[in-house]
Amino acid sequence: MLMDLRERIQGWIAYLIIGLISVPFMLWGVGEYFSGGKNKPVAEVDGLPITEQAFEQAVSAQRQALIQKLGGKVSAELLQSLNVKEQVLNQMIDERVLSLFAHRAGFRAPDSMVADLIRSEPAFKTNGAFDVKKYEEFIAAQGTTVPAFEARLKQDIVMRTLETALRESAITVQPDMDMLVRLRDQTREAGYITLARSRVVNAVSAPTEDQIKAYYTAHQSEFVQPERVKLHYIELSPQTLAPLVKVTDAELKQAYEHYKTKQEAAVTRTVRHILISVPKDADAATVEAAKEKLLAIRTAILSGKKTFEAEAKAVSDDPGSKAQGGNLGEVAPGQMFQPFETAMDALKVGELSEPVRTQYGWHLIEVTKESKPDIKPLDAVRPGLVAEVQARHVEKVYYDESEKLSDITYEHPDSLIPAAEALGLKVQTSDWVSRESGKGIGENEKVRHAAFSKDVLTDKLNSNLVELGTDHAVVIRLNTHEPASHLALDEVRQQITQRLKAEAVDQRLAAEAKQIRQALSQGTDPQQAATAAGGVWHAPVWLKRQDHPDGLPPEIIQAAFATPPTADSHPASTSIHLKDGDEAVVVVTQIKSGDPSTISAEDKQQLAAQIEQAEGQSALAALLATLRQETKITINSSIEKSATQ
């Protein structure tokens, strides 16, 4: 089976080796699949452990991936709502279940296949030939050994071949495709009624003191100040390293000369031209005739018989500048095509060029105005030039200083002061940092992970060098630690008041929406139902699932296609909460199914692939469900909950 599917593997070897192989080592470490590690397991799969350390690293990596995918601005509440820990644990369990199944079924990846894959990977080649040194350096960078790496590679080949085989075993039948087309291409006529939140906010009474106290008592577990720390840290960054770079007089002089050269070259010119166009395939006689015509125009202008502006309006073939007397406006260096720009740069103000040939034809060029930027004295630009020189040297300084910082903080694990004094840097103090969030350096997941590690939090030692970027790193140590604690009622009173008020408004809007839907089900016209409830009726329009009309909230479209039709002739309806806080009642008045006879052969092929992929995923899910039932899976809930907290 594996040998038959060998060709399917070739396409993703680079991704597998560089990406997926490095990730499992980072997440689970060498031997995590078949050895338990030294820490307590979060779960066991037929005795095969998922250690707490492996689980924490996997969760951290998944969270970091989500943060990057969502643009770096992700709240702790959102991450918690996504149930990252539960998803990661299930993925790790699934992988171990499949791994055991494949192992017991006797699936193996031949040594020759693994060798071919490794030797074909471009990252391991020098001048087209496999480079053992590069390969071994890559393995060492993953913190593992060649045998362990290749064993993991064999396992991944087996796992992915198994998954691919299951997905590709699915077939498509015509009824399934017809049903998908009817649903996919279905159109619905839908309108909606909006119930504005602002209309009822003032009508809802503020919660009483008893209600506030009762809510606090019932939800006390939600009002917790999470465990948090303040950190001392030394930071290496372009900003902190720049002062360490001493700029010599010679470097400053060279930078100033470069500045002057740039300023002198940054000349802007106001330019006009006359174009006599020449076809690309013109013969020599046509090209020469166009040139002679332009020379005659040039002679007439120089003699004063004609003006440049008048000639441009009369004969120029450039429609963009013709009406403006050939004026092209202000032109900066690099904006014009060659050799136009070369000729333009050589002209003095008021001087006419000789005919200039470009791909468009022959040009007569005149510079009517020239503006040169000021060249400021050295003292005026000194700070900027010093910063430029420092920035160019920071990369070298960073490498040397990061090595020193790492060495000194390791040699003096109980203090950052020796390193700060040796490097000429300051020991800074962070704001509060929790396991889930922080400000400044605390925004970085790596910093938070280090801050709550055993070395820093419990043993109160300096951390290792934490790399935050290509030229940005910190070493941290604990300053202040506060365990998690319950917040007093007075600290959260305003928050509870807002919650209760918001809940009351939601209930009021939901009740109004329910009354509207009841009226619609009894045949009331949507406009009348909206007016009676104080809402606004938005007339129905025909929609497709993929439509995104301007001004129409996307959740309206989603709700319209999620609303089941009614058994009678009355419109179908549903109520939804809009993102802006308003309530809406979506009213579906008509439904038309898609027509399978209208789709193209290409569309059919794409639909078949989609159906096969979905069925293959279902087959994989079914296999996993069966294997889970047949496998002894033990989850240590207390460790799972405490991990990464």
Side-chain angles (χ1 to χ4, degrees):
M1 172 180 167
L2 293 178
M3 293 303 294
D4 292 340
L5 295 173
R6 177 175 180 176
E7 290 303 316
R8 298 176 190 165
I9 302 172
Q10 299 290 342
W12 43 262
I13 178 60
Y15 176 67
L16 176 64
I17 292 180
I18 303 302
L20 292 179
I21 293 303
S22 62
V23 171
F25 280 126
M26 288 190 291
L27 299 190
W28 302 305
V30 180
E32 275 292 337
Y33 271 72
F34 297 103
S35 65
K38 296 181 179 179
N39 50 8
K40 296 180 181 179
V42 176
E44 291 186 75
V45 181
D46 269 0
L48 184 66
I50 298 174
T51 66
E52 183 177 358
Q53 179 183 6
F55 178 62
E56 285 183 346
Q57 291 174 342
V59 170
S60 177
Q62 181 67 5
R63 282 176 173 165
Q64 194 64 31
L66 283 170
I67 289 170
Q68 292 176 354
K69 185 176 181 180
L70 297 175
K73 296 182 179 179
V74 182
S75 66
E77 292 76 13
L78 175 58
L79 286 173
Q80 188 173 3
S81 70
L82 293 175
N83 297 320
V84 173
K85 291 199 296 180
E86 182 179 348
Q87 291 179 30
V88 169
L89 183 57
N90 275 318
Q91 289 169 359
M92 296 176 80
I93 290 173
D94 285 346
E95 186 164 352
R96 281 154 174 75
V97 166
L98 278 177
S99 175
L100 287 170
F101 168 73
H103 183 73
R104 291 165 181 169
F107 294 145
R108 300 288 187 275
D111 291 340
S112 59
M113 179 187 295
V114 175
D116 288 346
L117 291 175
I118 292 173
R119 288 182 175 277
S120 65
E121 171 53 40
F124 301 151
K125 290 183 178 181
T126 299
N127 297 325
F130 178 70
D131 189 328
V132 175
K133 185 178 179 181
K134 274 191 176 181
Y135 176 55
E136 291 177 345
E137 286 176 350
F138 172 82
I139 300 298
Q142 306 308 309
T144 185
T145 63
V146 170
F149 174 81
E150 293 179 356
R152 174 65 201 200
L153 178 56
K154 285 183 180 181
Q155 184 174 340
D156 277 352
I157 291 171
V158 171
M159 296 287 289
R160 300 199 175 279
T161 303
L162 174 61
E163 292 177 13
T164 301
L166 285 169
R167 290 194 176 100
E168 294 185 359
S169 65
I171 59 173
T172 304
V173 294
Q174 192 62 42
D176 288 344
M177 186 176 295
D178 290 347
M179 181 182 296
L180 179 59
V181 172
R182 292 189 186 99
L183 289 172
R184 186 197 66 176
D185 297 344
Q186 185 186 88
T187 58
R188 295 192 172 200
E189 186 186 50
Y192 63 103
I193 298 168
T194 51
L195 299 167
R197 191 177 193 83
S198 59
R199 180 178 54 83
V200 299
V201 166
N202 294 331
V204 173
S205 302
T208 65
E209 182 65 19
D210 287 342
Q211 289 174 321
I212 293 173
K213 289 180 178 178
Y215 189 93
Y216 176 75
T217 301
H219 300 82
Q220 196 166 7
S221 61
E222 299 177 17
F223 303 114
V224 175
Q225 174 68 61
E227 180 185 19
R228 59 183 188 169
V229 295
K230 283 188 176 182
L231 305 169
H232 287 315
Y233 66 97
I234 295 178
E235 182 176 20
L236 295 179
S237 69
Q239 292 73 30
T240 61
L241 291 173
L244 303 179
V245 177
K246 304 303 180 183
V247 179
T248 66
D249 291 341
E251 288 176 322
L252 185 58
K253 182 179 179 181
Q254 183 180 9
Y256 184 64
E257 292 301 320
H258 180 66
Y259 158 77
K260 289 197 298 182
T261 301
K262 284 176 59 179
Q263 292 296 95
E264 290 168 354
V267 177
T268 57
R269 297 175 174 88
T270 301
V271 181
R272 57 185 180 180
H273 81 137
I274 296 172
L275 169 67
I276 303 300
S277 62
V278 177
K280 292 182 178 179
D281 56 352
D283 56 26
T286 302
V287 173
E288 188 61 27
K291 181 179 180 182
E292 290 299 325
K293 181 179 179 179
L294 195 61
L295 281 170
I297 293 170
R298 182 176 187 273
T299 299
I301 294 172
L302 289 174
S303 67
K305 294 179 181 179
K306 302 283 187 177
T307 67
F308 194 105
E309 182 177 2
E311 287 293 274
K313 289 181 178 180
V315 302
S316 180
D317 292 326
D318 178 11
S321 66
K322 180 183 180 78
Q324 288 75 42
N327 186 26
L328 295 172
E330 194 172 67
V331 177
Q335 286 186 334
M336 302 304 293
F337 42 86
Q338 298 291 347
F340 189 106
E341 184 157 327
T342 300
M344 177 188 71
D345 290 346
L347 293 174
K348 297 177 181 178
V349 174
E351 183 181 1
L352 281 182
S353 71
E354 295 290 337
V356 178
R357 177 74 188 275
T358 72
Q359 65 266 41
Y360 301 105
W362 291 99
H363 303 259
L364 185 64
I365 306 169
E366 181 184 11
V367 176
T368 60
K369 184 180 177 182
E370 187 175 82
S371 299
K372 295 183 178 180
D374 293 337
I375 298 178
K376 298 179 181 179
L378 175 59
D379 288 343
V381 294
R382 183 186 299 272
L385 296 179
V386 169
E388 287 181 14
V389 175
Q390 289 174 331
R392 291 199 297 270
H393 290 297
V394 157
E395 184 176 352
K396 295 180 180 179
V397 173
Y398 173 80
Y399 179 80
D400 294 337
E401 297 303 292
S402 63
E403 288 285 321
K404 292 178 186 176
L405 178 59
S406 181
D407 290 344
I408 297 172
T409 52
Y410 179 79
E411 294 167 359
H412 302 274
D414 298 323
S415 175
L416 294 176
I417 294 175
E421 291 177 345
L423 274 63
L425 298 172
K426 293 181 179 179
V427 176
Q428 303 180 65
T429 304
S430 74
D431 201 343
W432 287 110
V433 176
S434 71
R435 294 180 184 268
E436 302 292 342
S437 63
K439 296 180 180 179
I441 63 166
E443 293 180 0
N444 190 283
E445 172 102 7
K446 294 180 180 178
V447 171
R448 298 198 300 273
H449 188 271
F452 289 91
S453 66
K454 180 177 180 294
D455 286 347
V456 175
L457 186 63
T458 305
D459 298 339
K460 297 180 174 52
L461 301 175
N462 296 334
S463 72
N464 293 326
L465 189 75
V466 182
E467 296 276 1
L468 307 183
T470 55
D471 54 3
H472 191 192
V474 294
V475 173
I476 64 172
R477 67 175 292 103
L478 183 66
N479 174 23
T480 307
H481 173 234
E482 282 189 0
S485 61
H486 286 285
L487 296 170
L489 175 58
D490 287 342
E491 295 179 274
V492 295
R493 184 183 303 278
Q494 185 63 30
Q495 183 181 350
I496 293 174
T497 299
Q498 291 174 352
R499 282 193 192 181
L500 290 173
K501 186 77 178 287
E503 288 179 3
V505 171
D506 288 342
Q507 292 169 3
R508 174 78 171 266
L509 291 174
E512 291 180 352
K514 183 178 180 181
Q515 289 178 350
I516 291 174
R517 294 187 64 202
Q518 289 175 344
L520 293 173
S521 69
Q522 295 168 2
T524 303
D525 180 76
Q527 179 65 72
Q528 294 177 346
T531 302
V536 177
W537 167 241
H538 302 263
V541 294
W542 281 100
L543 299 169
K544 296 180 180 179
R545 293 180 187 273
Q546 64 271 25
D547 280 350
H548 298 285
D550 291 341
L552 185 64
E555 54 262 48
I556 295 292
I557 300 175
Q558 294 171 7
F561 282 92
T563 303
T566 59
D568 54 29
S569 60
H570 295 143
S573 67
T574 189
S575 59
I576 60 171
H577 194 66
L578 299 178
K579 291 180 179 178
D580 60 5
D582 292 346
E583 193 79 6
V585 176
V586 181
V587 184
V588 179
T589 52
Q590 296 186 68
I591 300 175
K592 293 180 182 178
S593 295
D595 185 356
S597 66
T598 62
I599 67 172
S600 65
E602 183 181 359
D603 199 4
K604 285 182 180 180
Q605 187 176 6
Q606 292 176 350
L607 286 172
Q610 292 174 13
I611 293 172
E612 289 171 2
Q613 182 179 18
E615 290 183 351
Q617 290 172 345
S618 296
L620 179 59
L623 174 62
L624 278 169
T626 300
L627 293 176
R628 274 181 171 249
Q629 290 178 351
E630 297 173 352
T631 304
K632 183 179 179 182
I633 299 172
T634 305
I635 297 176
N636 190 331
S637 299
S638 61
I639 295 179
E640 178 200 358
K641 291 178 181 178
S642 63
T644 73
Q645 289 294 323

